[in-house]
Amino acid sequence: MTLDRIPMPPYVEDTESNRKQRANILYEICYADLHLSRMLAHLESIGELENTLIVVTSDNGTPVSGMNQGRGKSSPYDFGVHEPLAILWPSRVPGGRTVTDFVNFRDLAPTFLELAGISPPESMSGKSLVPILLSEKSGRIEKARSWMMTGLEWHGEFDPETRSSRTIRNDHYSYIVRFNNVDKNNLPLSRKELMKPYQIEFYDLKNDPWEQNNLIDEPRYAREIEKLARQMRAYGLKTKDPRVTGDMDIFVKSREYVQMRKRIGYGETMTLPFN
């Protein structure tokens, strides 16, 4: 396998720096695969492979600089939130299937608890994957898993840079809402202003998988846009998202605290009022 054969999105510059970073990523992938292979071999050698649930996943997005441009790690696009996930349990999980259900990291803890014979607490927002894992069906196993919401308030950046966003997507479309945290003069916004989007995007993922062509102003997609917008708001109200309810104090104070800590250095001891 060579670097030139890796399919890259159209906005990635083929610079020497990016080639080196891509090579480093390949090395890390190979290194991870090597140790995973060793673990699987050990489980097989002690006779436990068939009865062990193995979950392999990853962190969010790519660190390659040319890919970022607001579209890689800590972005609201698929390239920043769509993660690899492989689950193996030879004695229990039927193979040879393709499942299209949307799942989330938060679903893993309830899954592990259920398999351990423990009822997940009501406070957990995830839902166990056990019915999907044990099913023999392909396609969409649970009808409710036909869409996914993702969101980000910040990624440790200083104001006025902002990455706050919400995304809702289904099998075909992606609807993205972006928010500011300060005004153009780097001054705090009112709670009402914090709830107003400064940019909305809509993508046809079937025809534009790299999300390059924003179709938010295309009349022919008005019905799909309105449907996802209503669905996003309903989910925000259900989960008490401050960007929907207006109860922004927790986000504002947390953001101020994080930025203050960064400015003085994370390693320094400090005491701050945080009511």
Side-chain angles (χ1 to χ4, degrees):
M1 183 177 190
T2 67
L3 287 176
D4 292 335
R5 295 177 184 173
I6 300 176
M8 305 301 286
Y11 45 82
V12 176
E13 296 181 10
D14 190 25
T15 64
E16 181 179 357
S17 175
N18 278 343
R19 287 195 294 272
K20 288 181 178 179
Q21 291 186 62
R22 287 157 60 186
N24 287 337
I25 291 173
L26 279 179
Y27 174 81
E28 291 182 2
I29 292 172
C30 291
Y31 191 71
D33 284 349
L34 173 64
H35 285 281
L36 177 60
S37 176
R38 292 175 61 189
M39 287 185 280
L40 293 174
H42 176 69
L43 287 170
E44 187 172 26
S45 70
I46 62 176
E48 294 294 343
L49 180 61
E50 291 293 313
N51 195 39
T52 300
L53 175 67
I54 300 166
V55 178
V56 180
T57 185
S58 178
D59 190 10
N60 287 76
T62 172
V64 175
S65 60
M67 295 180 189
N68 282 342
Q69 300 181 14
R71 292 183 175 273
K73 189 176 179 68
S74 76
S75 85
Y77 302 101
D78 257 17
F79 210 52
V81 299
H82 189 180
E83 300 309 309
L85 176 64
I87 299 177
L88 175 70
W89 195 4
S91 67
R92 299 288 302 279
V93 177
R97 301 180 297 142
T98 298
V99 176
T100 61
D101 293 46
F102 285 86
V103 301
N104 194 289
F105 282 151
R106 68 186 179 211
D107 297 326
L108 295 178
T111 301
F112 299 150
L113 289 176
E114 180 177 344
L115 292 174
I118 302 172
S119 297
E122 294 183 2
S123 59
M124 283 189 170
S125 58
K127 184 180 178 182
S128 172
L129 301 176
V130 170
I132 297 175
L133 296 178
L134 302 186
S135 174
E136 296 184 352
K137 298 179 180 179
S138 293
R140 182 67 36 79
I141 308 302
E142 297 183 349
K143 292 183 179 180
R145 292 185 180 273
S146 62
W147 58 281
M148 177 61 65
M149 269 281 296
T150 58
L152 178 70
E153 272 307 305
W154 68 89
H155 197 254
E157 69 275 4
F158 288 113
D159 290 332
E161 183 181 356
T162 180
R163 301 182 188 179
S164 301
S165 61
R166 301 292 184 271
T167 301
I168 185 169
R169 65 150 295 176
N170 53 33
D171 294 317
H172 200 150
Y173 303 109
S174 174
Y175 178 82
I176 300 171
V177 178
R178 297 179 180 274
F179 301 92
N180 277 322
N181 292 291
V182 292
D183 66 14
K184 61 182 179 180
N185 297 315
N186 200 22
L187 296 176
L189 292 170
S190 68
R191 300 304 187 259
K192 185 177 181 180
E193 289 295 322
L194 287 170
M195 296 170 61
K196 292 182 179 179
Y198 79 86
Q199 183 173 317
I200 301 178
E201 303 167 47
F202 180 82
Y203 297 96
D204 182 342
L205 299 174
K206 295 290 186 182
N207 299 309
D208 180 24
W210 292 115
E211 295 167 284
Q212 297 289 290
N213 186 21
N214 184 9
L215 302 171
I216 193 63
D217 295 322
E218 288 288 338
R220 69 183 186 275
Y221 290 104
R223 179 179 295 181
E224 287 80 9
I225 291 171
E226 178 62 22
K227 177 182 177 181
L228 287 180
R230 289 199 308 267
Q231 194 173 2
M232 176 183 284
R233 177 169 176 79
Y235 186 76
L237 290 171
K238 178 182 177 181
T239 58
K240 297 181 174 58
D241 183 351
R243 292 285 181 178
V244 178
T245 66
D247 186 19
M248 287 291 297
D249 282 356
I250 183 64
F251 285 166
V252 171
K253 292 179 179 180
S254 296
R255 189 180 184 91
E256 292 173 350
Y257 178 78
V258 170
Q259 292 183 95
M260 190 177 296
R261 283 205 64 198
K262 284 187 69 176
R263 287 190 175 95
I264 69 171
Y266 282 125
E268 301 293 331
T269 301
M270 64 181 295
T271 301
L272 290 175
F274 191 68
N275 299 322

